[in-house]
Amino acid sequence: MTAPLAGDDPAEIGPYRLLGRLGAGGQGVVYLAAGRDGEHVALKVLRHVRDEEDLAAFRREGEILRRVARFCTAPVLDSGTDGGVPYLVSEHVDGPSLSSVIAERGPMAGTALFRLAVGTLTALAAIHHAGVAHLDFKPGNVLLGRGGPRVIDFGISRVLDATHLTGGLVGTPAYMAPEHFREELTVGPPADLFAWGGTVLYAATGRQPFPGASIPVIMNGILNREPDLSVLEPRLRNVVAACLRKDPAERPTAREALLTLLGRAAGASLPGVLEQGSQIAETPTARRSALRNPRVAVAGAVAVSVAVTLAVLAPGLLSADRDTGPSSGRPTPPASPTAPPPSPVATRLPSTDVTAFDRPGDPVRLAAYAALRPDPQIAYARPPGSSAFTRIGVRQEPAVSPDGAWVALDDRSAVDGSADGQVTFIDTRTGTRFTVKTTEKPVITANPRWSPDGRRLLLTSHTVRGNTRTPRGFVIVEVATRTATRVDVPGDERMDEFDAYSWGPDSATLAHRTASGVRLQDLTGRVTRTYDATGTPAALVSSFSPSGDRFLTNCPDRDQTACVWRTSDGRAEGTFRTPGMLVWQWYDEDHLVVVDQNTAPNRLSVIDRDGREVRRLAEFPTLDTWIPALAG
């Protein structure tokens, strides 16, 4: 989806006229642009160039990227600098990312998954053939266009690394190979094969190959654990398993993996494997030279064979056509339907009139709940991978850690302030539990919220005197040390008693409302930033997206709409239509979990920016019958 240009965006970069924003991230901003011929292209501006030496290195790398053959890639068409700022121009692929399609439609299977695997391996073979490593291959860098899957941003990480544009790790942690974290190993094309294996597994399950709420947890999984590949059919499973080997020397090249996959699928062997780093120029002279060079001639034969095989196997590979109207950009059903997402499994929840719907691979799932009727309320939970809910507490409000492994139960038996506050933590897999004292009477706590890294629990505190509840501040529980720290925040007593603290963009930042905006605080209560006139936080659990890059508010200038703002600078980034809906939390970077009160029964649903339901998580009479707790 193309967003309007921001106020500080230029009108032109080099010979290209900017038309809108396609996205932004740590590497730079991607614009929809038009060249002199009017053809639409994607133009990426790269940040943080240091000096002329960096620019020279960038120009050299840009020339290399243009050599990549156009097999299932969005090829680099141009590169240059404008006012000392480097940019890359590539073909504009009009299609959604693999990550957004999986979030909206569910995991792939069968022919659709195989076509995705073949198409993306073909792209990596072409990229590596030009002597380029992608180094940030992931679901977000695979676009499903009209002609099939297309790999984008190849070589960007190489350019950034070559010109010192980034520090530390290059890539996306969840799809990084072990060698990214081991100084004694070289990071190159084999890392792309590891990321490819993880991406295929994500497409088949809807889950990251090595899940975790923090980079250390993800790193540990990448270095020491083997993912479950049982969901893949045998011929694809064998190739993915080979690509996910911890030692880069034991992984196949992209061409070896592709030929193995195609050879088994087509029942015929294909030409031999190319040497790593060989290149084919695209000039007539180079083509004549290739015919005289047997090794290069074989390279051309492999490329042609792959292209022909793909055309026969999958005309219109995994296409996901989109509405091309000026105000749209939303995915529409493909011309050749792919395998539908798995049918949801309906489960009636104990002690309620709630029906939950489970789909394998959903990044957010119902993991616990409190049944509010009849009194007293009863808490239930289930471990990851299980469909059975077990009773775990009475008069307690549950909250589930991001990985679903722990449930925190905030004691609600003394809401009148007649007893000290406490929270019980339960390991959903083993049943092990322990309790941490949080407050002394007459101070109570409510609204338990887990930090994104799963290490801390946040609660909002109140002083209770008679029938009056006065906001006090918050309590942080460190799970590892089983200790609680209460922080009283001056001024909170003037807030509404229903205003709750939530986590901000990371696990060291809290968010709370102001009269017309959002304030961020550290874990001592010190205000670190304020967003004025944005509207107050809109989501009940957390208004910050999973990445922390954006946050959600009740739009200050329109009803039934939630506004999206960039965390970095507080600029507006779009809206969600939410008529008659209570926003619960984010589902992923492009979707929300809401309670839709427009229907009977009510629904716990996942919606897109237009307010359309793309997933149904549960149905229930009214919200006052239960409190859902989600993991993910």
Side-chain angles (χ1 to χ4, degrees):
M1 183 171 64
T2 304
L5 295 173
D8 57 351
D9 286 331
E12 295 180 342
I13 293 179
Y16 299 93
R17 179 168 52 90
L18 304 188
L19 306 176
R21 280 185 168 222
L22 295 173
Q27 296 175 346
V29 180
V30 184
Y31 298 100
L32 177 65
R36 291 192 179 97
D37 58 1
E39 183 178 357
H40 286 188
V41 295
L43 186 150
K44 185 160 193 172
V45 175
L46 304 179
R47 297 180 173 136
H48 311 309
V49 175
R50 301 188 310 180
D51 50 34
E52 187 58 37
E53 183 180 349
D54 286 349
L55 287 176
F58 165 78
R59 294 187 187 101
R60 290 193 298 271
E61 297 299 331
E63 287 301 316
I64 292 175
L65 296 184
R66 283 199 291 238
R67 300 175 187 171
V68 176
R70 302 185 180 195
F71 298 129
C72 301
T73 66
V76 173
L77 307 174
D78 191 12
S79 62
T81 59
D82 187 332
V85 177
Y87 62 86
L88 287 172
V89 179
S90 62
E91 179 183 321
H92 175 234
V93 179
D94 186 17
S97 68
L98 173 63
S99 55
S100 64
V101 168
I102 295 300
E104 184 171 321
R105 303 180 190 174
M108 293 179 177
T111 303
L113 183 63
F114 181 75
R115 289 172 176 174
L116 173 76
V118 169
T120 48
L121 265 181
T122 301
L124 285 180
I127 291 167
H128 294 172
H129 182 58
V132 177
H134 194 298
L135 300 187
D136 196 17
F137 187 89
K138 60 185 178 181
N141 277 338
V142 176
L143 300 184
L144 304 184
R146 296 176 185 273
R150 309 286 289 277
V151 174
I152 64 172
D153 269 6
F154 54 87
I156 293 294
S157 294
R158 172 188 172 123
V159 170
L160 292 174
D161 185 52
T163 58
H164 312 288
L165 295 178
T166 59
L169 297 176
V170 177
T172 302
Y175 297 91
M176 284 183 173
E179 54 265 35
H180 281 280
F181 311 114
R182 291 175 175 162
E183 294 183 358
E184 73 274 12
L185 297 176
T186 300
V187 179
D192 292 343
L193 273 297
F194 189 92
W196 174 86
T199 296
V200 170
L201 187 58
Y202 164 81
T205 63
R207 298 186 299 273
Q208 291 183 351
F210 301 96
S214 65
I215 291 180
V217 173
I218 294 172
M219 286 175 56
N220 182 60
I222 290 172
L223 293 170
N224 302 307
R225 297 179 184 172
E226 300 296 335
D228 181 4
L229 305 182
S230 59
V231 69
L232 303 176
E233 52 88 17
R235 67 176 179 270
L236 183 56
R237 184 191 313 147
N238 291 338
V239 176
V240 170
C243 291
L244 289 176
R245 288 170 182 158
K246 306 300 184 185
D247 185 348
E250 295 181 357
R251 295 177 211 140
T253 66
R255 286 176 285 279
E256 288 171 338
L258 177 61
L259 294 175
T260 299
L261 202 56
L262 286 176
R264 291 179 181 176
S269 60
L270 295 177
V273 178
L274 307 178
E275 281 190 355
Q276 179 60 41
S278 62
Q279 300 174 0
I280 301 179
E282 296 186 2
T283 64
T285 301
R287 285 196 292 271
R288 288 194 296 271
S289 174
L291 293 177
R292 293 193 297 269
N293 184 327
R295 178 177 295 160
V296 178
V298 171
V302 172
V304 172
S305 296
V306 169
V308 172
T309 303
L310 288 173
V312 173
L313 281 178
L317 269 182
L318 201 69
S319 61
D321 294 347
R322 302 176 73 186
D323 187 337
T324 56
S327 62
S328 185
R330 301 183 298 271
T332 57
S336 300
T338 60
S343 299
V345 177
T347 303
R348 177 60 67 91
L349 303 186
S351 301
T352 71
D353 291 325
V354 178
T355 300
F357 301 97
D358 286 326
R359 284 185 178 86
D362 274 358
V364 171
R365 63 189 290 270
L366 179 68
Y369 67 94
L372 304 182
R373 299 178 185 173
D375 189 58
Q377 73 182 48
I378 303 173
Y380 291 83
R382 59 177 173 178
S386 173
S387 60
F389 284 88
T390 302
R391 175 171 168 163
I392 57 172
V394 179
R395 293 191 177 93
Q396 293 171 315
E397 180 181 354
V400 186
S401 62
D403 61 1
W406 288 88
V407 175
L409 294 173
D410 183 35
D411 189 4
R412 311 298 294 153
S413 60
V415 293
D416 59 355
S418 60
D420 295 341
Q422 62 181 23
V423 175
T424 299
F425 294 86
I426 303 174
D427 187 326
T428 61
R429 298 156 298 188
T430 66
T432 302
R433 63 174 63 201
F434 62 88
T435 299
V436 176
K437 178 181 175 180
T438 55
T439 59
E440 296 181 348
K441 59 181 182 182
V443 179
I444 65 170
T445 56
N447 305 108
R449 306 283 184 255
W450 282 89
S451 61
D453 63 10
R455 295 170 51 198
R456 301 181 179 100
L457 188 75
L458 167 69
L459 303 109
T460 302
S461 61
H462 300 81
T463 300
V464 179
R465 290 187 174 87
N467 295 324
T468 303
R469 286 166 46 119
T470 304
R472 186 75 174 256
F474 59 86
V475 175
I476 298 287
V477 181
E478 297 281 351
V479 180
T481 60
R482 304 186 183 185
T483 58
T485 302
R486 196 182 89 193
V487 178
D488 294 341
V489 180
D492 271 14
E493 66 274 5
R494 296 191 296 271
M495 302 299 289
D496 188 284
E497 67 174 288
F498 297 105
D499 291 332
Y501 280 87
S502 63
W503 291 98
D506 53 50
S507 296
T509 308
L510 307 181
H512 205 201
R513 68 173 292 241
T514 65
S516 61
V518 181
R519 79 183 189 217
L520 299 184
Q521 298 164 248
D522 62 20
L523 301 189
T524 69
R526 181 177 64 91
V527 176
T528 58
R529 183 165 189 175
T530 301
Y531 300 95
D532 293 319
T534 58
T536 55
L540 186 66
V541 174
S542 177
S543 289
F544 283 82
S545 68
S547 69
D549 291 343
R550 51 187 61 86
F551 64 96
L552 199 71
T553 68
N554 299 299
C555 287
D557 57 350
R558 70 196 85 172
D559 295 330
Q560 302 185 341
T561 306
C563 283
V564 181
W565 309 84
R566 293 194 312 217
T567 305
S568 59
D569 55 16
R571 289 185 179 273
E573 199 180 70
T575 60
F576 281 89
R577 290 259 309 141
T578 56
M581 300 175 183
L582 173 65
V583 179
W584 203 259
Q585 65 182 67
W586 291 77
Y587 180 77
D588 58 21
E589 294 295 318
D590 300 304
H591 299 84
L592 302 179
V593 178
V594 301
V595 173
D596 189 345
Q597 302 173 89
N598 299 304
T599 61
N602 289 179
R603 297 173 182 171
L604 186 68
S605 298
V606 179
I607 63 166
D608 63 14
R609 297 265 181 153
D610 293 325
R612 298 178 304 184
E613 181 185 78
V614 298
R615 281 280 191 282
R616 189 172 307 173
L617 302 180
E619 292 179 347
F620 49 94
T622 57
L623 189 57
D624 60 1
T625 60
W626 74 315
I627 301 174
L630 306 178

